[in-house]
Amino acid sequence: YHCSPASLVAARRRKTSLYLPSKVVQMFPSRVSDSMSLTPYRDSRALSLSCLLDPDTGKIKKDTITVTPSLIRVDYKLTYADVDEMLDYGVAYGEEFQIGLLLGLARLRRRYRISNGSTESLIRSPLKQGTPVVRQDRLSPGGYA
């Protein structure tokens, strides 16, 4: 898909899609973002990243990083509450074992980041809620920045 130079400049400045109460302001033009959305039961374009972690340290083994275009299909969605419940009741270690594996890898990787200077250990959890500031911008596609 082709993006105009103005769309790419706006996307770089915005860095993410904005989810407002009344509408969504996409980072990319809708024909691009729609083709990469996670709509259930539909093939979607994606960039898949894979790598291996050192099992003792959590450090990414640089020679194992691979990024490849792919097609994915979402069979079902899980909310954060769904996953927390699956972890609490042990389901994430049985029939949905991938969730338990990912939690273990996330903890290993977090320890590595903190031991290498990440400030995430200084942030209270859960984070305090805030209100995003969105301003109109006539030069941005979608009119918001």
Side-chain angles (χ1 to χ4, degrees):
Y1 290 95
H2 175 73
C3 293
S4 70
S7 294
L8 292 174
V9 168
R12 281 190 194 107
R13 237 184 38 220
R14 192 171 293 137
K15 294 186 180 23
T16 187
S17 296
L18 300 173
Y19 295 90
L20 304 171
S22 59
K23 69 178 188 171
V24 175
V25 179
Q26 299 289 348
M27 182 171 110
F28 294 107
S30 60
R31 65 190 168 123
V32 175
S33 59
D34 290 349
S35 74
M36 298 180 84
S37 71
L38 296 178
T39 303
Y41 308 109
R42 189 182 96 191
D43 288 343
S44 298
R45 290 178 178 85
L47 289 175
S48 296
L49 172 101
S50 66
C51 64
L52 294 177
L53 300 180
D54 181 294
D56 298 320
T57 65
K59 184 176 181 178
I60 294 173
K61 296 181 178 184
K62 290 184 182 179
D63 59 334
T64 68
I65 297 172
T66 305
V67 179
T68 185
S70 57
L71 282 177
I72 60 171
R73 179 179 288 252
V74 175
D75 291 333
Y76 59 94
K77 288 186 177 185
L78 294 173
T79 64
Y80 287 106
D82 292 336
V83 172
D84 286 343
E85 187 175 295
M86 293 169 89
L87 290 165
D88 289 343
Y89 292 113
V91 176
Y93 305 102
E95 59 263 27
E96 298 288 347
F97 68 93
Q98 298 93 337
I99 293 171
L101 289 173
L102 288 171
L103 177 63
L105 292 171
R107 287 179 174 159
L108 178 66
R109 186 72 185 142
R110 184 170 197 262
R111 279 194 303 275
Y112 172 78
R113 289 192 310 265
I114 290 170
S115 71
N116 283 276
S118 168
T119 59
E120 68 186 284
S121 64
L122 303 175
I123 299 172
R124 290 183 291 133
S125 183
L127 294 175
K128 215 174 156 184
Q129 296 297 311
T131 304
V133 176
V134 179
R135 63 180 168 75
Q136 287 189 314
D137 182 349
R138 289 176 301 190
L139 300 177
S140 292
Y144 292 89

